Amino acid sequence: FFEKIKTGLEKTKKQLIEGFNKISFGRKIDESLFEEIETVLLKADVGVSATTEIIDFLRKESKKRGITEGEQLKELLKEKLYDILKDCQSSLKLLGEKPDVILFLGVNGSGKTTTVGKLAWMLKNEGKSVVLAAADTFRAAAIDQLEVWANRVGVRIVKHQPGADPSAVVFDAINSAKSKGDDIVIVDTAGRLHTKEHLMKELQKIKRTIQKFSPNQPVETLLVLDGTLGQNSINQAKVFKEATDVSGIVITKLDGTAKGGAIIPICRDLKIPVKFIGVGEGLEDLQPFDAKMFVYALFD
Ligand code: GDP
């Protein structure tokens, strides 16, 4: 697990560590040291507000603890990063309702379908029976692509013709899961962001359909964000957040970006926990977000 995250975060790690390596921590703390740390954090896309909080903490806390050596300041930095990230951490919630419904949102290309496949694989390996609902009926290719994942993982898929009503697909998928006693339905929705009203209407209809079966569902509404966008994904996420309740975020493609630091402003600004991170294209490249591992992976 740890090794996967470590290699997955290689680019972010490089950005941070090479940045930090250029700073000589083997000196006494002075003003320029804080400024150098600040620059590295900003480059890793940690964002202005989180960076300010971190630097303020380092200044105050080093004074308070009587820390004078750069190396000790580095430890303090790790401590602070973990402290912020642990509030961003939350594990997947399941109620065991047979079926629990997990709704996936995200724009096209964010890695949504891939993440649905990876999560299905993860849950299947935990002994759960999973059904995929191809509710992205807007693009024929999306249905086909989900089917490829269903076959790869070895789970059932419920699909309709392209252009069909997404809610009808969701209804059939839950009905089918119910009658067969399946544990989880994962719904892949269309990632269109035409207008907020349109998105809102479609998601509300899907939600009403799900709630015909149980008022407790969907147990999770997960928004998939493309990690290579860094902080730029925040505005996109806000549109989804205004359209529906989002219970968790998945940040994908962290293996392909040096902007992994954006995980901090993403979760802080949106006030939504990060449930998973994607660190590659393979089945096993989805990891529950673990703040401690994340910080260790970056610094070790
Ligand atoms: P969708 O349009 O949102 O459903 O996106 P897809 O699931 O089709 O993913 C878009 C592209 O991103 C595909 O080429 C995926 O293989 C790739 N992808 C998805 N997740 C990851 C990840 O964690 N790491 C990398 N490197 N690529 C990913």
Side-chain angles (χ1 to χ4, degrees), residues 107-114 118 145 252-253 255 278-281:
V107 301
N108 292 334
S110 60
K112 183 165 43 72
T113 309
T114 306
K118 289 172 180 172
Q145 204 195 342
T252 61
K253 311 183 197 177
D255 53 308
V279 289
E281 294 182 276

Side-chain angles (χ1 to χ4, degrees), residues 106-116 118 136 139 142 145 149 188-189 224 226 251-256 277-282 285-286:
V107 301
N108 292 334
S110 60
K112 183 165 43 72
T113 309
T114 306
T115 304
V116 167
K118 289 172 180 172
D136 182 351
R139 295 179 307 146
Q145 204 195 342
W149 277 103
D188 185 20
T189 66
V224 178
D226 181 339
I251 304 181
T252 61
K253 311 183 197 177
L254 279 180
D255 53 308
I277 55 174
V279 289
E281 294 182 276
D285 295 330
L286 184 73

Side-chain angles (χ1 to χ4, degrees), residues 114-131:
T114 306
T115 304
V116 167
K118 289 172 180 172
L119 182 62
W121 172 254
M122 186 188 284
L123 293 169
K124 190 188 170 194
N125 284 331
E126 288 171 12
K128 308 245 176 6
S129 58
V130 179
V131 179

